[in-house]
Amino acid sequence: MGRNVHNAHHIVKAKRTPVPCFMHIMAYDDRPEPAKRLQIAREAAKFGTAKAAALRFGWNKDSYYQHENGTRGIGRAAAKYAKAFKVSEAWLLTGEGQGPGEARKFKDPRLEELWLERPDIAAVVTEGIEQQIETAYEASGLGEKNDRKKQ
């Protein structure tokens, strides 16, 4: 016992090895929601890095980094990002509207432009088209033929 006390004035490393606690290693993303959505849109557009997207579209990469990291708001730049990544500006800013990967059923360039510029109107138009298709389908009797084939 006396031997251990004699070395007490020396710096002694702890004999206990730290065990990582996986509960406290969780990733926490405190960026603003528009910054998170900007990253989601970039990745959905198949750009692996922010630098790749900035170079491809000719944006200032430092500004784009700051927008995606959430250190600067994307308000004024949202329109150009939305157009480049083929999402609606409303989705980037608020989460409402057409986001990435939300395939639209109707491939008309005018409707595509409407989705980018006015998603609220485009949603009403799309719903109206779907209702007209459903009505025409029922009136043609094709729905009945398909029902008989399933039986």
Side-chain angles (χ1 to χ4, degrees), residues 15-93:
K15 295 188 184 329
R16 183 173 169 229
T17 54
V19 177
C21 176
F22 295 107
M23 186 177 204
H24 295 94
I25 299 178
M26 293 186 292
Y28 181 71
D29 190 357
D30 62 346
R31 294 179 298 162
E33 291 301 314
K36 293 176 189 177
R37 283 189 290 272
L38 182 59
Q39 180 181 356
I40 291 167
R42 172 184 53 82
E43 291 171 349
K46 306 289 188 239
F47 289 99
T49 64
K51 181 180 179 180
L55 290 175
R56 164 65 177 81
F57 295 110
W59 302 326
N60 180 313
K61 66 179 176 159
D62 292 327
S63 294
Y64 184 77
Y65 289 153
Q66 292 171 350
H67 288 148
E68 198 170 293
N69 290 333
T71 53
R72 286 178 54 193
I74 67 169
R76 291 186 296 178
K80 69 179 178 182
Y81 295 149
K83 190 169 187 167
F85 297 138
K86 295 183 173 54
V87 296
S88 70
E89 186 177 355
W91 181 82
L92 270 181
L93 295 172

Side-chain angles (χ1 to χ4, degrees), residues 104-118:
R104 291 183 292 278
K105 299 174 186 173
F106 311 109
K107 302 289 183 188
D108 184 309
R110 296 168 297 176
L111 189 55
E112 293 289 322
E113 185 178 0
L114 202 54
W115 270 110
L116 292 173
E117 302 297 326
R118 294 293 308 270

Side-chain angles (χ1 to χ4, degrees), residues 4-5 10 34 41-42 47-48 62 73 93 101 105 115 124 126 130 138-139 142 147 151:
N4 292 340
V5 174
H10 293 294
R42 172 184 53 82
F47 289 99
D62 292 327
L93 295 172
K105 299 174 186 173
W115 270 110
V124 172
T126 302
E130 288 174 347
E138 288 173 5
L142 291 174
D147 289 342
Q151 293 175 353

Side-chain angles (χ1 to χ4, degrees), residues 120-139:
D120 53 334
I121 294 174
V124 172
V125 169
T126 302
E127 185 178 324
I129 293 171
E130 288 174 347
Q131 287 176 351
Q132 288 180 349
I133 290 172
E134 184 65 32
T135 302
Y137 191 73
E138 288 173 5

